[in-house]
Amino acid sequence: MADSNVKVLGTWSSPFVMRVRIALHLKSLNYEFVEENMMQGKSELLLKSNPVHKKVPVLIHGDNPICESLIIVHYIDEVWTSAPSILPSDPYERANSRFWAAYADDKFFPTVRKVLVVSTEEAKRAAMAEVLEGAVVLEEAFKKMSKGKTYFGGEELGYVDIAVGSFLAWIKVIEKFTETKVVSEAKTPSLAAWADCFSSHAAVKDVFPDIDKLADFGMKLRAMFLKAAAATTTD
Amino acid sequence: MADSNVKVLGTWSSPFVMRVRIALHLKSLNYEFVEENMMQGKSELLLKSNPVHKKVPVLIHGDNPICESLIIVHYIDEVWTSAPSILPSDPYERANSRFWAAYADDKFFPTVRKVLVVSTEEAKRAAMAEVLEGAVVLEEAFKKMSKGKTYFGGEELGYVDIAVGSFLAWIKVIEKFTETKVVSEAKTPSLAAWADCFSSHAAVKDVFPDIDKLADFGMKLRAMFLKAAAATTTD
């Protein structure tokens, strides 16, 4: 669809932006990607489109801005209803999918982020222990939801795949940073197989960031965060 | 509907539980309400039904437990599709509704909670300033969404009404605690009128908690929280 009149305000490094792009790819929609440079300052268009949070991603469809990644994925699924569906059709499966997407956002990813921003080795080890616990919870969830198939969503990549899979690149960054595997054949074999299929999926592979580049970016964010934290505690 | 086979695990004081009950009332569904006593210990049924978060509310429909209040409200709307609908039918309006419900949960309510648990007067004033800012943001959102009608959802009470309205009783508690109005004719006239309609709505009034009882409970929670915080910082 060439005339879908869709714009995405985002950054290459954000897992939340990645979700929106994967959903658009699944629906075979063309869109304009507008790269924001959050470090140098936010664009007028972003500030106007998301005045409450001033964050990416924003999807602009016609004149309508839609904010917050999981809300955008719902919107995409509800507007472009042609197959494939991103959310399952059964209400209980939908509720389960929303539950695990919320778990990924509210419980799991904050621990991944914590590994990168804490200042001591002890705090890093503690945060990493939480990440590893979360990965085991997700392994169990995967086994229940996928019922032996490739994705959380079954045969096809769906909502929970997008929600959890968008964090895989950042997981690889902390694996590198801590020299510890989070998703591995040994501890989370189902997630490990899923991660390979997810990353190489046609809707994903072009927006899956380069891990070395993301790791460099992560170290810059870490330095900025530690500097800001030090300034706050010594003022 | 007498045979709807629905159970709610909850507490009388939780705004999140209130959401689920309002949604069930809107759909005219009978249900069994199982009061949990979170201070004395969680029931086996709760631990089994929500093993990840171990929190109320849980809706049990047949043998299926559904967790997380806004996910439950979606589920109720998607299973019992007879009128009235809780979410609007237009995808953009749905996205907007989800946005403001998430704002209420992620931005607004944490500031309300903070007023009750901070230990100094200065921190209490700062938290209260955030609450008042949030109320003004919600006032503007109400004006845009309601388009001069009674509810966020227009003529009928809907998703954002449930999400934001469930916090009204706790807002009254912090108004009492700080002797400062949050929702008032002077500063948020539209929200003030809406709050009256919401609290007296047939689906709401029977589950809207008694404010004096809730304030007593709030002060007990505050004392417990401050004691726990003191123990953590002096150990």
Side-chain angles (χ1 to χ4, degrees):
Chain A
M1 290 182 218
D3 58 346
S4 58
N5 198 14
V6 170
K7 202 178 271 186
V8 175
L9 312 186
T11 61
W12 66 273
S13 56
S14 160
F16 305 102
V17 172
M18 191 176 165
R19 291 173 173 178
V20 174
R21 303 184 77 180
I22 295 170
L24 291 168
H25 295 175
L26 282 176
K27 298 285 187 180
S28 303
L29 290 161
N30 285 329
Y31 61 96
E32 182 189 348
F33 182 68
V34 183
E35 179 83 32
E36 291 280 330
N37 188 325
M38 306 295 271
M39 290 201 188
Q40 286 181 2
K42 298 169 184 187
S43 73
E44 279 303 309
L45 185 58
L46 174 59
L47 296 175
K48 196 184 93 182
S49 306
N50 190 357
V52 174
H53 302 302
K54 305 176 178 68
K55 283 183 180 170
V56 294
V58 178
L59 179 85
I60 305 181
H61 182 206
D63 292 327
N64 290 335
I66 301 106
C67 307
E68 307 261 37
S69 65
L70 293 178
I71 293 175
I72 298 172
V73 173
H74 270 86
Y75 178 83
I76 291 169
D77 205 30
E78 290 172 1
V79 169
W80 291 281
T81 49
S82 59
S85 286
I86 295 173
L87 278 134
S89 57
D90 175 73
Y92 185 60
E93 285 181 26
R94 289 165 77 87
N96 251 332
S97 297
R98 289 176 177 131
F99 178 88
W100 287 109
Y103 175 85
D105 274 12
D106 301 339
K107 295 283 170 189
F108 184 67
F109 191 61
T111 66
V112 174
R113 191 180 168 281
K114 212 197 295 177
V115 170
L116 275 179
V117 300
V118 289
S119 56
T120 66
E121 277 302 310
E122 190 191 344
K124 193 166 98 177
R125 265 195 304 275
M128 199 57 182
E130 288 186 80
V131 172
L132 295 171
E133 259 178 55
V136 172
V137 172
L138 287 171
E139 168 84 3
E140 292 310 308
F142 180 85
K143 284 195 273 190
K144 272 191 201 161
M145 290 190 72
S146 65
K147 293 171 193 145
K149 294 178 182 158
T150 310
Y151 296 104
F152 279 94
E155 296 291 1
E156 304 293 337
L157 192 150
Y159 189 68
V160 183
D161 298 289
I162 295 176
V164 179
S166 62
F167 295 138
L168 278 173
W170 281 101
I171 288 172
K172 284 181 192 285
V173 168
I174 64 163
E175 286 181 337
K176 207 170 157 176
F177 180 54
T178 61
E179 296 176 357
T180 309
K181 275 281 182 194
V182 175
V183 175
S184 66
E185 190 57 48
K187 285 193 185 158
T188 57
S190 307
L191 272 192
W194 162 80
D196 287 342
C197 294
F198 176 84
S199 320
S200 57
H201 189 287
V204 175
K205 61 183 184 347
D206 294 339
V207 290
F208 201 89
D210 178 84
I211 301 304
D212 289 335
K213 192 179 162 198
L214 194 65
D216 283 350
F217 180 72
M219 289 307 108
K220 274 184 202 142
L221 281 184
R222 173 176 164 78
M224 280 173 62
F225 189 89
L226 292 181
K227 204 171 153 189
T232 314
T233 50
T234 56
D235 266 4
Chain B
M1 290 183 216
D3 58 346
S4 57
N5 198 13
V6 171
K7 200 177 274 187
V8 175
L9 312 186
T11 61
W12 66 274
S13 57
S14 159
F16 305 103
V17 172
M18 191 177 166
R19 291 174 172 175
V20 174
R21 303 184 76 180
I22 295 171
L24 291 168
H25 295 176
L26 281 176
K27 299 286 187 182
S28 304
L29 290 162
N30 286 329
Y31 62 96
E32 181 189 351
F33 182 67
V34 183
E35 179 84 32
E36 290 281 330
N37 188 327
M38 305 296 271
M39 291 197 188
Q40 285 181 3
K42 300 170 183 186
S43 73
E44 278 304 309
L45 185 58
L46 174 59
L47 297 174
K48 195 186 93 182
S49 306
N50 190 358
V52 174
H53 302 302
K54 305 174 180 65
K55 282 183 181 170
V56 293
V58 178
L59 180 85
I60 305 180
H61 181 207
D63 292 327
N64 290 334
I66 301 108
C67 307
E68 307 262 39
S69 65
L70 293 178
I71 294 174
I72 298 172
V73 173
H74 269 87
Y75 177 83
I76 291 169
D77 205 30
E78 290 172 0
V79 168
W80 292 281
T81 50
S82 59
S85 286
I86 295 173
L87 278 135
S89 57
D90 175 74
Y92 186 58
E93 286 180 26
R94 289 164 78 87
N96 251 331
S97 297
R98 289 175 178 134
F99 178 88
W100 287 110
Y103 176 84
D105 273 11
D106 302 338
K107 295 284 171 185
F108 185 67
F109 192 62
T111 67
V112 173
R113 191 181 167 281
K114 213 197 295 177
V115 170
L116 275 179
V117 300
V118 289
S119 56
T120 67
E121 279 300 311
E122 192 190 343
K124 193 166 98 175
R125 266 195 304 277
M128 199 58 182
E130 287 185 83
V131 172
L132 294 171
E133 259 179 54
V136 171
V137 172
L138 287 171
E139 168 83 4
E140 292 309 308
F142 180 83
K143 285 196 272 189
K144 271 192 204 161
M145 289 190 73
S146 64
K147 295 173 190 141
K149 292 176 183 158
T150 310
Y151 296 104
F152 279 94
E155 296 292 0
E156 304 294 337
L157 193 151
Y159 188 68
V160 184
D161 298 289
I162 295 175
V164 179
S166 62
F167 295 138
L168 278 173
W170 280 100
I171 289 173
K172 285 179 192 285
V173 167
I174 64 161
E175 286 181 337
K176 208 171 157 175
F177 180 53
T178 61
E179 296 176 358
T180 309
K181 275 280 181 194
V182 174
V183 174
S184 68
E185 189 58 48
K187 286 193 184 154
T188 57
S190 308
L191 273 193
W194 162 80
D196 286 342
C197 294
F198 177 83
S199 322
S200 56
H201 190 288
V204 176
K205 61 182 186 341
D206 294 339
V207 288
F208 201 88
D210 178 83
I211 301 304
D212 288 334
K213 190 179 163 197
L214 194 65
D216 283 351
F217 180 72
M219 289 308 107
K220 272 182 205 145
L221 281 184
R222 174 178 163 76
M224 280 173 61
F225 189 88
L226 293 180
K227 202 171 153 188
T232 313
T233 50
T234 56
D235 264 2

